[in-house]
Amino acid sequence: MADTILVVAEQREGRLNRVSFETIAAAQSLAKDTGWSIEAVLAGDNLSAPAAELASKAVARVHALEAPALAAYTSDAYVHALKAFLAEKQPALVLFPHTYQVRDFAPRLALALDRALISDATGCRFENGKLLFTRQMFQGKFSADVSFADDTPSATLRMATLQIGAYRGDEAQAGPENTTAPVEHVTAAVANTPPRVTPHEVFQESGQEAKQAVDLSQAEVIVAVGRGIKEQKNLALAEALAQVLHGEVAASRPICDNGWLPLDRQIGSSGQTVAPKLYFALGISGAIQHIVGMKGSRTIVAINKDAEAPIFEIADVGIVGNLFDIVPALTEEIKKA
Ligand code: FAD
C-alpha cells in the first residue's frame, strides 16, 4: 500500500461517525495531486453496517478490522489492532479525524510504530513533491505549514489528524456511478483480555462521574451557553432549545469551570472542536479560545446583548438582545413549526 492514503474512520456502537466523511474528503483532495489511491479502515466488532456506508464513497477498499475486544472502545485494544494492521499494510499516509477517541489513541499508536504524527491540521496539500499540513498556532492567530522529516517518495506510515470542520463531509465523493467499494473483513490481532484502560476511565476527570465522554463532533445542532446565562438553573433554557432542535448542549469554558456542565461539553482550544450544521452561541462573547473550537460551524446564530461582542464578527445570524427574552420565545415558535 505504498501509494495509498489510509483513512482511519470512526464508529461508535455500530454507527459511523459522520466526521469520517470529512477525512475522506481530505484524502480525495490530496489524491488528486499525489495520484495515490484511498482506502479506509474501521475498528470495532460487527462492522457490516458502518463499513457499507463508508464503501459508498469513492475509496478503493474498506477494511473492517473486527474483534470482540474492539466492540467497546479502549485505547489499548485500538492501538494493538491498528498497530499490527498498519505495520503490515505500510500505507504512504494515514489520516484520522481529530475526534476525542483519536486524540486518545493516535499518539500512542504513532509511538508504538515509531512514526511522527501531525495533529489537528486544518488543511493538507501536496506541493513540490512534499506533503504539507497547515496547523494553527497561538490560538489560531497564525498558521504554519508542517511537513514530515522523512518525506521521500518511498516513505510510509506518515500520520496526521484533521481538525473537525476543516473539510466538508458532504463533499466526499461517492463511488463512480454509485458503485460501492469492496469491504474486507479482517480479524484483528488483539487478545480478548481485559484492557488496561477501560472505556469508562478514558476521558474521566478525577472526581467526576465515570462515563464515556460526549462526542460533540457528531452533533448536527449545538446550543452553546456562555457566562451570559448567569446561573446554573438557567441552563434549562438552553436544554429546552436543544431538545426541540434535537441538538446537544455545550458551553464556553467558564460554564464548565464552574462545574455547571461537565468538561466534555466545553467548546474551544482546551475543549472540543466542532462543526455542526447549526451552532447557537447564547451569551458567549466570542473570545479567540472559544472561536477556534466552533468557527467551522455551517451556520452560527449568536444572541448577545452587547452589539460589539466579537462573536458577531463570525455569526451568520446575529441577534442583539436579552437571551432570557429571546430563547424561550424562539423555543416556543420552533415547537409550533
Ligand atoms: P464572557 O466573555 O464573560 O461573555 C459573556 C457574554 O454574555 C458577554 O458578551 C455579554 O454581553 C453576554 N451577555 C450577558 N448577559 C446577557 C444576556 N442577558 N443576554 C445576552 N447576552 C448576555 N474559553 C472557551 O470558551 N473555551 C476554551 O476552550 C477556552 N480555553 C482557554 C484556554 C486558555 C489558555 C485561556 C487563557 C482561556 C481559555 N478560554 C476558553 C477562556 C476564554 O478566554 C474566555 O474567557 C471565555 O471564552 C469567555 O466565556 P464567555 O464568552 O462565556 O464569557
Side-chain angles (χ1 to χ4, degrees):
M1 290 176 68
D3 291 340
T4 302
I5 303 172
L6 184 74
V7 170
V8 180
E10 184 170 301
Q11 58 82 34
R12 276 193 183 200
E13 291 161 6
R15 278 186 53 221
L16 188 70
N17 186 341
R18 316 296 299 170
V19 298
S20 305
F21 293 143
E22 296 180 12
T23 316
I24 288 182
Q28 288 176 343
S29 84
L30 257 187
K32 279 189 199 129
D33 297 327
T34 57
W36 292 340
S37 75
I38 302 168
E39 300 193 11
V41 61
L42 260 181
D45 203 21
N46 300 321
L47 294 173
S48 298
E53 227 185 311
L54 263 184
S56 67
K57 298 298 173 192
V59 297
R61 186 175 302 276
V62 173
H63 305 267
L65 196 54
E66 294 172 318
L70 296 171
Y73 168 75
T74 66
S75 122
D76 266 6
Y78 266 52
V79 169
H80 213 84
L82 283 165
K83 180 189 169 193
F85 179 79
L86 293 176
E88 187 203 325
K89 299 287 180 193
Q90 298 283 325
L93 176 67
V94 187
L95 291 180
F96 306 79
H98 194 77
T99 62
Y100 246 36
Q101 261 182 27
V102 166
R103 282 158 66 169
D104 186 53
F105 77 81
R108 284 187 63 197
L109 179 62
L111 190 67
L113 288 161
D114 195 21
R115 286 298 196 278
L117 172 73
I118 294 175
S119 70
D120 208 16
T122 54
C124 53
R125 63 188 195 279
F126 188 65
E127 216 172 77
N128 302 325
K130 255 185 141 36
L131 283 172
L132 294 175
F133 290 83
T134 309
R135 288 195 79 240
Q136 297 187 329
M137 324 277 287
F138 303 105
Q139 311 284 1
K141 288 199 176 79
F142 296 97
S143 295
D145 282 340
V146 181
S147 61
F148 293 96
D150 179 8
D151 213 18
T152 54
S154 60
T156 58
L157 288 177
R158 287 164 284 194
M159 300 166 82
T161 73
L162 293 162
Q163 191 170 99
I164 308 302
Y167 287 83
R168 293 268 304 260
D170 56 3
E171 288 178 1
Q173 280 168 13
E177 290 164 20
N178 289 327
T179 51
T180 54
V183 175
E184 197 170 288
H185 292 265
V186 186
T187 304
V190 53
N192 202 4
T193 50
R196 226 162 13 99
V197 183
T198 72
H200 300 294
E201 288 169 338
V202 171
F203 306 117
Q204 189 191 342
E205 295 291 318
S206 60
Q208 282 200 327
E209 188 192 342
K211 65 172 181 58
Q212 183 135 358
V214 176
D215 186 356
L216 293 173
S217 67
Q218 304 207 42
E220 296 207 330
V221 178
I222 291 180
V223 178
V225 292
R227 205 144 36 188
I229 201 80
K230 306 274 194 286
E231 290 182 67
Q232 186 172 16
K233 64 177 169 57
N234 298 334
L235 287 174
L237 291 181
E239 281 157 3
L241 179 58
Q243 198 180 6
V244 294
L245 292 167
H246 308 291
E248 293 281 351
V249 173
S252 65
R253 181 167 165 168
I255 302 303
C256 298
D257 282 353
N258 282 350
W260 296 355
L261 281 174
L263 282 179
D264 55 11
R265 300 266 168 188
Q266 181 179 318
I267 305 294
S269 58
S270 42
Q272 295 204 47
T273 303
V274 294
K277 286 188 179 152
L278 182 58
Y279 188 93
F280 277 89
L282 311 179
I284 292 178
S285 60
I288 183 82
Q289 295 89 353
H290 186 80
I291 284 178
V292 291
M294 44 66 80
K295 64 180 185 325
S297 306
R298 200 82 62 79
T299 301
I300 298 170
V301 180
I303 304 177
N304 198 304
K305 66 179 187 184
D306 174 9
E308 303 294 319
I311 192 77
F312 288 129
E313 287 167 26
I314 59 153
D316 300 284
V317 178
I319 305 170
V320 180
N322 186 341
L323 73 89
F324 296 103
D325 298 331
I326 297 162
V327 175
L330 186 62
T331 307
E332 284 311 309
E333 283 305 312
I334 296 170
K335 266 190 207 163
K336 283 185 217 158

